[in-house]
């Protein structure tokens, strides 16, 4: 489980440190204080081996453009690609660190998987599109390499590790659910399929019933060569897409936790699409699923109700949770950490704003 | 700037709200969300007022002995404040009754003790603004000012005495009625069957006078009767609360 996070020069964060994270860590704060960025930083660190993580990071923000200025530069604090990014997390056993910096001089090696005729053009292009040099370490395992762009804007990677045969170490993985996740259903099909095979979808159905007690079942159904998710309501099978945003959101949360055993799920604006009446039970299921799957949850919110629902949760869930509030002050970021007991006191007795 | 005014009971809170609205042009904060962000003292009764971008929370502790408890809540909130220091109360006013000769000394001593618990040294004196600084849990040092008002200023009593004194000072006719009421209350129960506690005697004097002045409202809540008097027109009230004008 992640115990601390340290982010330097990433997007809008110059420096921020979160200590003593719990199984459920809620991040609050006003707009533009860096809540989503913090989640993105953790996701970037844990997902850096996926070349599409850069594109994903942009896609989360609704940006779909190519070019170093559009892909690399927004990752740097104040778009200043000359100051390196450093993201570190500590778990009970390990420390993971990713450092990225601009490299104007890098040209890909010829052993890269590009035909020689394309390489000449590539070299010309990369002169204008600087590369991203990275170093990653988790204890004695080390990686170094470059991310660079082909002329169509695709991200390529060249990497060396300190392991024999350049072997990559599979580390902790993360799932990032961004605030508009509600309509993404494609990858849910695989995950429901896995649960069907493992005969474990009852938990998912129970969670879906929080929103609609009439949901009886969920199933993958193939039609005209496409496999889609259907839910059964009052004996009728209805495509999941026709369900409300809340249903899909809650399904995403539930599956993300179940599919990320011993890992971390990052949720931006956990409350979006969900009515406040389900919050209490939502925490109950989240707490239970996180515990069963040894999964850690980091979620941002602007919702007072969802925070208060956490206050009202079972003692075990409260003890495993904490609340961070991020602030900007005089150009710097600060984080205030409170246990659930402290947060409840601050909110109910001291009249403090926790959102 | 955010200020908090800690008083004893609901009568005090009502009078103070009235006075701040009428005489010093503070307005109620209409935003319910914001109202929820007022500190909650023992009575759970707090009111948030605003003026020129400044905020003032009036909170009734539920008695003189509960004031230190409310003061600790205020200090806890200051200590827990975020880096933006938005939740900080820059000014703290404590208004308490001069129940006896030692009331002022005792209250000052208790407030100093609360401040000492958060390592804030202060040369605290009654009826004047005194400065000190508090370190928040995030390591910021914030300056705060504290004012302890013990009323009435002359003699012993409570806020009710303070109000009766103000009325008496403004009108010789009312002074005569008040003196008669005071005399009646002090002599009417020689066996002390009903009027035993000092606080009850003070309230009886106040209620007897108001049952003459506003007989129709004699069974109304004490707070409601307060609203019928233009307190802002009484010099003694204005003199007594002149330091409250510095809140915003």
């Amino acid at each position: 489980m992640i115990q601390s996070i340290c982010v330097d020069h990433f997007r809008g964060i110059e420096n921020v440190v979160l200590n003593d994270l719990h199984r459920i860590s809620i991040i609050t704060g006003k707009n533009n204080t860096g809540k989503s960025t913090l989640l993105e930083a953790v996701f970037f660190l844990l997902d850096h081996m996926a070349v599409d993580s850069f594109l994903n990071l942009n896609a989360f923000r609704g940006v779909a453009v190519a070019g170093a200025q559009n892909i690399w530069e927004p990752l740097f604090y104040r778009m200043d690609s000359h100051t390196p990014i450093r993201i570190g997390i500590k778990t009970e056993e390990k420390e993971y660190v990713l450092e990225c910096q601009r490299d104007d001089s890098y040209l890909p090696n010829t052993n890269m998987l590009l035909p020689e005729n394309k390489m000449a053009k590539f070299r010309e292009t990369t002169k204008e599109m600087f590369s991203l040099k990275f170093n990653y370490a988790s204890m004695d395992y080390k990686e170094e390499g470059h991310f660079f762009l082909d002329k169509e804007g695709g991200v390529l990677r060249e990497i060396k590790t300190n392991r024999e045969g350049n072997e990559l170490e599979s580390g902790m993985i993360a799932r990032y659910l961004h605030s508009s996740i509600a309509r993404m259903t494609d990858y849910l099909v695989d995950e429901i399929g896995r649960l069907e095979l493992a005969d474990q979808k009852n938990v998912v159905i129970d969670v879906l019933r929080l929103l609609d007690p009439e949901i009886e079942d969920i199933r993958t159904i193939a039609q005209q060569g496409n496999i889609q998710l259907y839910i059964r309501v009052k004996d009728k099978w209805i495509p999941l897409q026709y369900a409300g945003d809340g249903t899909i959101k809650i399904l995403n949360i539930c599956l993300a936790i179940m599919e990320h055993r011993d890992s971390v799920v990052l949720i931006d604006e956990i409350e979006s699409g969900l009515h406040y009446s389900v919050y209490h039970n939502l925490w109950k299921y989240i707490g239970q699923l996180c515990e069963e799957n040894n999964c850690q949850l980091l979620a941002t919110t602007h919702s007072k109700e969802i925070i208060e629902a956490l206050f009202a949760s079972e003692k075990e869930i409260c003890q495993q949770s904490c609340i961070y509030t991020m602030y900007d002050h005089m150009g710097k970021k600060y984080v205030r950490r409170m246990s659930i007991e402290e947060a409840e006191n601050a909110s109910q007795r001291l009249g403090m704003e926790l959102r | 700037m955010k200020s908090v005014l800690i008083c004893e009971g609901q009568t005090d809170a009502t009078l103070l709200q009235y006075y701040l609205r009428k005489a010093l042009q503070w307005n109620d904060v209409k935003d319910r969300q914001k109202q929820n962000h007022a500190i909650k003292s023992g009575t759970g009764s707090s009111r948030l007022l605003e003026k020129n971008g400044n905020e003032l929370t009036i909170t009734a502790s539920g008695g003189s002995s509960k004031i230190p408890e409310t003061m600790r809540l205020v200090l806890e909130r200051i200590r827990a404040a975020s880096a933006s220091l938005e939740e900080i109360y820059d000014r703290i006013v404590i208004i308490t009754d001069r129940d006896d000769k030692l009331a002022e000394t005792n209250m000052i001593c208790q407030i100093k003790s609360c401040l000492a618990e958060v390592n804030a040294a202060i040369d605290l004196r009654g009826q004047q603004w005194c400065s000190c600084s508090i370190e928040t849990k995030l390591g910021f040092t914030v300056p705060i000012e504290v004012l302890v008002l013990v009323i009435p200023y002359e003699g012993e009593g409570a806020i009710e005495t303070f109000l009766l004194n103000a009325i008496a000072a403004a009108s010789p006719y009312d002074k005569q009625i008040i003196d008669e009421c005071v005399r009646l209350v002090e002599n009417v129960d020689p066996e002390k069957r009903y009027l035993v506690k000092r606080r009850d005697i003070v309230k009886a004097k106040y209620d007897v006078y108001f049952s003459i002045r506003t007989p129709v409202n004699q069974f109304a809540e004490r707070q409601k009767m307060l609203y019928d008097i233009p307190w802002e027109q009484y010099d003694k009230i204005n003199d007594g609360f002149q330091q409250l004008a510095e809140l915003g």
Side-chain angles (χ1 to χ4, degrees), chain A residues 30 304-305 325 327-329 334-338 342 345-355, chain B residues 33 36-41 69 73-74 76-77 80-87 89 137-138 140:
Chain A
K30 290 183 179 175
K304 187 181 182 186
E305 288 89 350
T325 312
Y327 298 91
D328 272 327
H329 179 61
Y334 292 89
V335 181
R336 178 179 64 197
R337 183 195 180 284
M338 287 187 182
E342 288 168 333
N345 181 51
S347 171
Q348 313 292 346
R349 296 184 70 218
L350 306 183
M352 294 175 80
E353 174 62 87
L354 296 181
R355 287 171 292 187
Chain B
Q33 293 278 350
N36 286 338
H37 294 148
I39 195 159
K40 309 287 186 300
S41 62
E69 197 179 298
L73 278 184
V74 169
E76 195 182 336
R77 171 159 159 158
S82 67
S84 60
L85 306 179
E86 284 172 5
E87 299 105 336
Y89 289 120
K137 287 178 185 169
L138 286 176
F140 292 90

Side-chain angles (χ1 to χ4, degrees), chain B:
Chain B
M1 192 168 70
K2 282 188 171 66
S3 306
V4 60
L5 194 159
I6 307 169
C7 58
E8 289 191 14
Q10 201 51 52
T11 309
D12 311 50
T14 306
L15 172 78
L16 288 160
Q17 281 174 50
Y18 172 94
Y19 185 79
L20 287 156
R21 286 189 197 109
K22 285 275 186 176
L24 299 175
Q25 289 79 48
W26 285 82
N27 298 306
D28 285 275
V29 170
K30 297 280 190 295
D31 183 343
R32 278 188 65 192
Q33 293 278 350
K34 264 190 162 180
Q35 279 290 356
N36 286 338
H37 294 148
I39 195 159
K40 309 287 186 300
S41 62
T43 61
S45 164
S46 294
R47 194 75 202 159
L48 188 61
L49 306 179
E50 66 182 351
K51 179 185 172 185
N52 302 330
N54 297 315
E55 286 181 8
L56 171 63
T57 300
I58 301 174
T59 187
S61 294
S64 164
S65 61
K66 302 273 178 62
I67 286 179
E69 197 179 298
T70 308
M71 181 69 181
R72 284 191 184 91
L73 278 184
V74 169
L75 296 175
E76 195 182 336
R77 171 159 159 158
I78 294 172
R79 293 259 300 137
S82 67
S84 60
L85 306 179
E86 284 172 5
E87 299 105 336
I88 295 281
Y89 289 120
D90 308 273
R91 289 184 162 183
I92 305 169
V93 182
I94 294 122
I95 298 185
T96 188
D97 296 338
R98 196 181 296 276
D99 291 327
D100 53 47
K101 282 176 189 160
L102 291 174
E104 183 168 329
T105 312
N106 286 343
M107 184 52 67
I108 287 173
C109 191
Q110 290 182 78
I111 297 301
K112 277 177 87 168
S113 169
C114 293
L115 286 161
E117 288 167 15
V118 295
N119 300 317
I122 188 167
D123 181 15
L124 190 60
R125 290 151 197 263
Q127 341 297 341
Q128 59 183 275
W129 286 105
C130 302
S131 305
C132 68
S133 55
I134 293 175
E135 192 174 326
T136 69
K137 287 178 185 169
L138 286 176
F140 292 90
T141 302
V142 291
I144 62 160
E145 288 189 84
V146 184
L147 170 67
V148 178
L149 290 180
V150 185
I151 50 178
Y153 299 108
E154 321 89 5
E156 294 163 22
I159 194 149
E160 290 87 352
T161 321
F162 177 60
L163 299 179
L164 292 178
N165 289 347
I167 295 167
S171 159
Y173 184 76
D174 281 89
K175 182 178 185 311
Q176 210 175 338
I177 297 173
I178 289 167
D179 288 345
E180 287 295 325
C181 293
V182 168
R183 224 182 334 270
L184 170 72
V185 170
E186 284 175 351
N187 299 308
V188 76
D189 180 25
E191 292 179 13
K192 299 285 176 200
R193 289 190 188 182
Y194 309 106
L195 296 171
V196 181
K197 291 181 188 167
R198 193 194 303 260
R199 294 281 302 143
D200 293 347
I201 295 168
V202 166
K203 285 187 194 305
K205 290 173 183 172
Y206 176 88
D207 289 345
V208 169
Y209 167 71
F210 274 96
S211 68
I212 292 162
R213 179 166 174 158
T214 56
V216 178
N217 286 338
Q218 63 178 309
F219 294 116
E221 285 178 30
R222 196 172 282 119
Q223 288 97 310
K224 206 175 168 196
M225 292 199 297
L226 273 170
Y227 284 123
D228 295 335
I229 315 293
W231 296 108
E232 71 280 10
Q233 292 171 15
Y234 288 87
D235 292 340
K236 259 186 172 296
I237 302 278
N238 289 328
D239 289 346
F241 289 154
Q242 62 180 331
Q243 281 146 311
L244 300 185
E246 292 174 40
L247 291 172

Side-chain angles (χ1 to χ4, degrees), chain A residues 23-41:
Chain A
R23 177 156 325 268
I24 296 171
S25 299
I26 303 300
I27 304 163
T28 68
K30 290 183 179 175
N31 293 119
N32 296 321
T33 49
K35 304 181 297 296
S36 305
T37 302
L38 188 84
L39 299 189
E40 287 174 351

